[in-house]
């Protein structure tokens, strides 16, 4: 079978990373695991040996021979032939996620995962993306993605994975990340508005918060002059002179609530 670049088909060959991902997910025979992307089943087989049940979502039906081999050996594996972005994850009832993700859908699939209940997810991403997910304020990796993912999950960067661990070898480095789902640590009045504020701010991560917001007022759908007036009104309650890349997620949450009350 010719592997599809479009579907991110770089299959994991190095068993050490398979083991590492499964160990860090702490899979037991009580766990119902969701895997995205069967490939040739490198992760699936090892998950099936330990977990109570494994759901695998796979888009490419050319991989059916691998699926048939696995499902005839393991009764606890169920393959869902579909685009993972279109599957309703809420009704599957898994508690852990383990996957070597197709990197093209890293962002939408991560936010789809974060929208449902799970305990832990051990996921493989492109290295730079993983670093940004785990980014802390005042580092070069701190980004809109860091704040959005860390809103309701703890992110632990586990290790870098070289191209030689896959076949075919990708052009980029990869990394394993562990997400632990939790309640948000700060209160946000309106999550949609919070995400708009986040987008506006990080379009200009090196500028002051005030400058960034004014220059991207369209992202929060407030007329520029109107926004200037609002910022002046609440200036005593917030330090708008801080640089965006230094501003903690909690402060961004507070700012979003402050602006939300004024619009
Ligand atoms: N788990 C295997 C491994 O580690 O070797 C395969 C990982 S490979 C990086 C990604 C897999 O996701 C491929 O099998 C690909 O066909 C599948 N895939 C790509 N886009 C998908 C989508 N939108 N929904 C479901 N599966 C998808």
């Amino acid at each position: 079978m010719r592997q599809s670049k479009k579907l991110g088909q770089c299959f994991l060959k190095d068993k050490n990373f398979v083991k590492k991902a499964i160990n860090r997910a702490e899979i037991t025979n009580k766990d119902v695991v969701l895997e995205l992307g069967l490939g040739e089943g490198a992760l699936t087989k090892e998950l099936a040996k330990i977990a109570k049940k494994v759901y695998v979502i796979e888009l490419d039906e050319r991989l059916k021979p691998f699926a048939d081999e696995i499902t005839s050996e393991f009764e606890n594996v169920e393959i869902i032939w579909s685009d993972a972005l279109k599957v309703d994850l809420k009704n599957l009832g898994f508690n852990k996620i383990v996957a070597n993700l197709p990197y093209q859908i890293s962002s939408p699939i991560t936010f789809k995962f974060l929208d449902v209940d799970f305990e832990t997810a051990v996921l493989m991403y492109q290295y730079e993306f993983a670093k940004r997910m785990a980014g802390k304020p005042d580092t070069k990796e701190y980004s809109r993605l860091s704040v959005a993912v860390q809103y309701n999950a703890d992110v632990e960067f586990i290790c870098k994975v070289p191209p030689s661990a896959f076949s075919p070898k990708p052009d980029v480095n990869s990394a394993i990340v562990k997400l632990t789902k939790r309640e948000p640590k700060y209160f946000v009045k309106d999550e949609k508005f919070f995400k708009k504020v986040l987008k506006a701010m990080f379009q200009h991560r090196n500028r002051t918060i005030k400058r960034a917001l004014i220059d991207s007022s369209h992202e929060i759908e407030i007329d520029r002059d109107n926004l200037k007036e609002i910022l002046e009104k609440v200036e005593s309650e917030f330090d708008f002179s801080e640089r965006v890349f230094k501003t903690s997620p909690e402060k961004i949450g507070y700012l979003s609530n402050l602006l939300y009350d004024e619009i």
Side-chain angles (χ1 to χ4, degrees), residues 7-12 35 37-39 58-59 63 82-84 100 102:
L7 293 178
Q9 289 181 339
C10 292
F11 300 148
L12 201 47
E35 188 192 354
L38 175 80
E58 174 57 61
L59 182 59
L63 295 166
S82 182
D83 178 345
N100 169 18

Side-chain angles (χ1 to χ4, degrees), residues 232-248:
E232 269 165 34
K233 192 174 163 203
V234 295
E235 214 146 33
S236 60
E237 296 171 62
F238 192 84
D239 178 11
F240 288 98
S241 66
E242 190 167 44
R243 303 268 158 195
V244 170
F245 74 95
K246 293 192 174 199
T247 310
S248 70

Side-chain angles (χ1 to χ4, degrees), residues 111-205:
F111 289 111
K112 189 169 168 127
F113 290 157
L114 289 169
D115 246 8
V116 296
D117 282 338
F118 67 87
E119 291 162 23
T120 50
V122 174
L123 304 168
M124 209 171 282
Y125 292 97
Q126 186 171 333
Y127 177 78
E128 287 75 14
F129 190 90
K131 280 291 201 188
R132 282 197 290 123
M133 281 174 75
K136 296 288 173 213
D138 206 4
T139 65
K140 71 176 186 337
E141 290 93 9
Y142 187 52
S143 60
R144 178 181 158 203
L145 181 71
S146 325
V147 182
V149 174
Q150 292 167 37
Y151 176 64
N152 56 355
D154 288 327
V155 183
E156 184 192 349
F157 182 91
I158 295 178
C159 66
K160 193 171 185 173
V161 185
S164 57
F166 305 89
S167 174
K169 285 184 196 154
D171 302 329
V172 292
N173 281 308
S174 303
I176 301 177
V177 167
K178 179 171 175 174
L179 301 181
T180 308
K181 187 91 193 282
R182 57 153 168 72
E183 288 300 313
K185 287 182 178 162
Y186 49 95
F187 171 67
V188 160
K189 287 186 178 169
D190 185 289
E191 286 181 17
K192 272 196 184 148
F193 185 72
F194 171 63
K195 293 213 169 132
K196 285 182 193 168
V197 170
L198 205 51
K199 188 170 181 194
M201 287 176 69
F202 278 96
Q203 277 181 354
H204 313 282
R205 70 187 297 284

